[in-house]
Amino acid sequence: MSDTTLIRGGTIVTAEREWRGDVLIAGEKVAAVGEGLQAPAGAKVIEAGGAYVMPGGIDPHVHMELPFMGTVSVDDFLSGTACAAAGGTTMIIDFCIPAPQQSMLEAYKVWRERARKATADYSFHMAVTWWGEQVFNEMGTLCREHGVNSFKHFMAYKNAIMVDDATLIASFERARDLGAICMVHAENGDLVFRMQQEIFARGIHGPEGHPLSRGPEVEGEAANRACQIAGVVGVPLYVVHTSCRQAMDAIARAKLAGHRVFGESLVQHLVIDDSVYRNTDWRSAAHHVMSPPFRAPDHQQALWGGLQGGTIEVIGTDHCTFRTEQKAAGKSDFRKIPNGTGGLEERMSVLWHHGVGTGRITPCEFVAATSANAARIFNIHPRKGTIAVGSDADIVVWDPKATRTLGVKHHHSRNDFNIFEGMQVTGAAAVTLSRGTILWQDGKLQPREGRGQYIERPCFTDYARSQTVRNKHFAPTAVERQEFVP
């Protein structure tokens, strides 16, 4: 029974409720949940008295070893999933991003190969970066044969991976008919490009120019446009890294209109404001360059309200790390600073400290925002995102009294900067199990290269058929077309 583990005496927390009990793990699955469970002979026992026993975190927005802006992000699938486990996260969803005119299937194979070294589980969203018959057909292949049920669209990064409205509409329609969900990076790329040129021409060349060139109105316009297009087409929409009141208001309006729209925000945007760009230390300011940028404090308060009120369902990180020498490509031009920050290892502690610790959210709401909602939205619940018999044994034993000081000396990322440097938080992972295997315990990381599994996510039409249930929000609105429709 060496593959059996009993987690004993903790307070079990799911998105629905919390209660005292034990969790028995056999192999990779949860075998029993109840009070007074007995450990079989030879089983490992984890004493969880005084701790919470929660589903491992799911971060549905990360970028490992991403080629971007002339360089490659430094965390790969091994270091990324390892630092995730140290923070209590047991699954990531990355993005396959084809170059314009590149085959989606070719990009998918490249990302699958990169991910083979992962120590915890992973899955992929697919980005739509151009449109044509090949894209139309490959979207179907990815859904039917490779378990991809979500397609990302960049409304920013003009002259690179930005897509226009015609591509949005065509792709949204195709995703709808496949039973997939659409995602958008909501910033008006044309406005950003124009503002970048104007800000630079005014002599503002440092990191402080970054937030000036992509204000909240730019994000709000794009979020509203995407929500309205999705509403007309009739496809569910997931708006990534919502950072401002304007974008959140657009999501709220769409929800009130009856559209199926989901809001994601980043833990960084909840606790860091735009004053970081005015830091006289160029290195620090540049390391905070990400898109959308950090906002004024009033937007933070709005995002907390959105999380409490349900406009924001998921808290991710957009973990995409670049070292100082990479950021230095934009030393004299903020437009050339690679966009991205870390946060994957810190996400759950930061949200617990500033959310549960302040009374803004409950432990159940914490589980929903860090795990269960992502599992439901991307159709892997109840395999992931809960603690129930038959679920994967992705579990974090959470010590609500443990204190940590965040920073470079303590993190497991390959980055040489930490945007939470010096922040003291209460609440941390004591033990992290990925499908029953301990990856983090007693402050020690135990990564196992190649142990992570690729998790297929069925389209909602397939799920509906298998359950003989037709959900009007996710079922197709038309017979899947076999021919290409431009």
Side-chain angles (χ1 to χ4, degrees), residues 325-342:
E325 62 265 26
Q326 295 171 292
K327 293 279 188 176
K331 185 70 175 178
S332 59
D333 185 346
F334 70 87
R335 299 169 297 181
K336 298 179 181 179
I337 300 173
N339 285 207
T341 73

Side-chain angles (χ1 to χ4, degrees), residues 87 115 191 202 220 231 239-240 251 300 335 340 349 360 362 372 375 414 433-434 451 471 480:
L191 269 174
R202 286 164 49 190
V239 182
V240 306
I251 295 168
Q300 293 176 307
R335 299 169 297 181
S349 284
R360 286 180 169 121
T362 67
R414 291 179 175 172
L433 300 95
S434 169
R451 192 197 155 277
N471 184 316
E480 180 178 337

Side-chain angles (χ1 to χ4, degrees), residues 382-402:
R383 178 179 179 181
K384 306 286 189 183
T386 192
I387 296 177
V389 174
S391 297
D392 284 356
D394 290 353
I395 295 174
V396 57
V397 178
W398 190 262
D399 184 347
K401 297 181 180 179

Side-chain angles (χ1 to χ4, degrees), residues 36 56 58 157-158 198 236 257 443 471:
I58 300 171
Y157 305 119
K158 186 178 176 65
E198 290 188 4
N471 184 316

Side-chain angles (χ1 to χ4, degrees), residues 128 131 135-136 139-140 143-144 148-153 167-183 228-237 259-260 458-465 470-483 485-486:
V128 176
W131 189 251
V135 176
F136 179 94
M139 287 176 72
C143 287
R144 290 187 293 264
V148 175
N149 70 5
S150 48
F151 294 92
K152 169 80 172 287
H153 306 77
T167 298
L168 281 180
I169 295 167
S171 176
F172 280 19
E173 289 179 338
R174 178 59 166 156
R176 174 199 65 198
D177 294 347
L178 289 167
I181 186 171
C182 288
M183 310 172 75
Q228 296 305 314
I229 292 173
V232 171
V233 170
V235 69
L237 181 70
H259 303 319
R260 187 61 112 184
C459 283
F460 293 97
T461 50
D462 296 336
Y463 178 78
R465 292 188 187 109
R470 305 297 289 180
N471 184 316
K472 69 176 182 179
H473 295 298
F474 291 116
T477 58
V479 176
E480 180 178 337
R481 297 163 292 178
Q482 299 302 314
E483 76 284 359
V485 180

